[in-house]
Amino acid sequence: MIKRRGMLIVLEGCDGCGKSTQARKLVDALNTTPREGEGSLGGHVTHAELWKFPNRDTAIGRLIDEYLQNKCEMEDHAIHLLFAANRWEMVPCLLETLEKGISVIMDRYAFSGLAFSAAKKKKLGFQWCKIADQGLPRPDLVLYLSLSSLEMEARWNKKERDGTMVYIRERYEKVAFQNQVQAEYGKLMMGEDNWHVIEVNNKSIEVIHRNLLNIIKDNVKISTEKVIGKLWL
Ligand code: FDM
Ligand code: MG
């Protein structure tokens, strides 16, 4: 069998839309899908890993974490660049992982970087924001979970971190701001052929999961045969 690279699949959406839950379920599903035969992904996907941005475990990530928890202030351009740097520092490892045939399910990526920064009142400028992430590995698929603002807030107070439930509200978790973020995402997906929008209002975790898995199954062969692209280039 020809050795194929892994897929790069990004989940995006506002806070509380269920990305992390769905990302975990996708990784589990891909890791238990039979390699061959009925229900398989055609022997292309060998293994999947869960990645998340911001990656709060690196030195840059720890700064970002403090900022998000309102423990420090940061100039808007500066924090935008730190989010982007937090992605760039992981690129060698990301490419190595994909090369090994391992797929990566990514909980947020450069699209969050752009949508959240561009949504700020003192506009940074869409084009300026894009430059910092230009040239990153381009995802094969972007799965956008769309949630109404009514449902949004109800979900925020509950948050799981490191296996325990903590109740905190981070910097960007305000409805008006997240509505602006969703508008910015709307601009980002225009004309893109690798984005899929999934409405998640009133849908069960299981139904959404099936939906996402089917999109992946439909795309796996095409994607893994192509060389990984470069974002926004
Ligand atoms: N966020 C996330 C950004 O503002 N820029 C980025 O580049 C990324 C990856 O950080 F409100 C925002 C989005 C969210 C916050 O994300 C933390 P999680 O998924 O809640 O940890
Ligand atoms: Mg959050």
Side-chain angles (χ1 to χ4, degrees):
M1 197 199 308
I2 310 161
K3 187 164 176 356
R4 295 201 161 90
R5 68 168 174 84
M7 286 185 94
L8 177 54
I9 299 162
V10 171
L11 286 164
E12 286 282 2
C14 65
D15 279 290
C17 68
K19 290 178 305 302
S20 306
T21 305
Q22 292 296 337
R24 266 198 305 270
K25 284 183 73 71
L26 285 176
V27 169
D28 288 348
L30 294 180
N31 283 332
T32 51
T33 297
R35 305 276 177 262
E36 313 283 343
E38 186 91 17
S40 78
L41 294 174
H44 301 309
V45 171
T46 53
H47 187 65
E49 282 182 8
L50 177 61
W51 284 45
K52 172 163 179 54
F53 285 115
N55 175 347
R56 302 186 195 216
D57 296 332
T58 70
I60 295 170
R62 282 190 285 278
L63 280 174
I64 294 172
D65 184 52
E66 291 206 353
Y67 173 80
L68 288 171
Q69 292 190 48
N70 294 307
K71 290 181 181 162
C72 71
E73 289 308 313
M74 202 107 59
E75 199 276 333
D76 288 337
H77 297 81
I79 187 66
H80 179 82
L81 294 174
L82 285 181
F83 273 114
N86 186 231
R87 286 182 279 278
W88 280 107
E89 65 179 336
M90 298 308 294
V91 166
C93 180
L94 176 60
L95 291 175
E96 215 175 278
T97 305
L98 296 172
E99 258 338 288
K100 280 190 215 153
I102 298 170
S103 288
V104 173
I105 305 290
M106 195 90 97
D107 182 353
R108 295 193 185 282
Y109 196 47
F111 314 103
S112 286
L114 195 52
F116 280 77
S117 288
K120 292 188 172 180
K121 267 215 189 69
K122 277 193 229 140
K123 296 271 179 207
L124 302 189
F126 211 67
Q127 286 313 318
W128 186 89
C129 288
K130 254 183 167 177
I131 289 169
D133 287 295
Q134 237 171 39
L136 282 175
R138 181 178 188 267
D140 297 299
L141 285 176
V142 183
L143 305 172
Y144 180 75
L145 307 189
S146 172
L147 179 73
S148 75
S149 39
L150 272 180
E151 271 204 40
M152 208 184 279
E153 196 168 14
R155 300 182 179 201
W156 285 344
N157 294 327
K158 284 189 182 172
K159 199 186 296 268
E160 192 189 326
R161 192 155 294 154
D162 300 329
T164 49
M165 296 302 286
V166 287
Y167 296 88
I168 43 167
R169 184 163 291 197
E170 290 198 325
R171 185 178 287 267
Y172 296 136
E173 294 179 343
K174 301 181 187 96
V175 173
F177 183 71
Q178 299 269 333
N179 282 337
Q180 191 54 45
V181 169
Q182 300 223 65
E184 299 296 337
Y185 272 125
K187 289 185 207 162
L188 262 175
M189 66 182 79
M190 267 190 298
E192 297 288 349
D193 57 4
N194 59 342
W195 281 65
H196 295 256
V197 178
I198 299 96
E199 301 289 340
V200 298
N201 294 309
N202 306 316
K203 283 197 193 144
S204 73
I205 290 175
E206 229 22 74
V207 165
I208 299 163
H209 173 63
R210 287 279 133 218
N211 200 334
L212 297 177
L213 202 55
N214 284 334
I215 297 171
I216 293 175
K217 284 182 177 172
D218 288 346
N219 283 279
V220 69
K221 187 160 183 293
I222 309 163
S223 297
T224 53
E225 280 177 355
K226 284 194 302 199
V227 173
I228 191 97
K230 286 185 193 291
L231 187 65
W232 296 324
L233 280 178

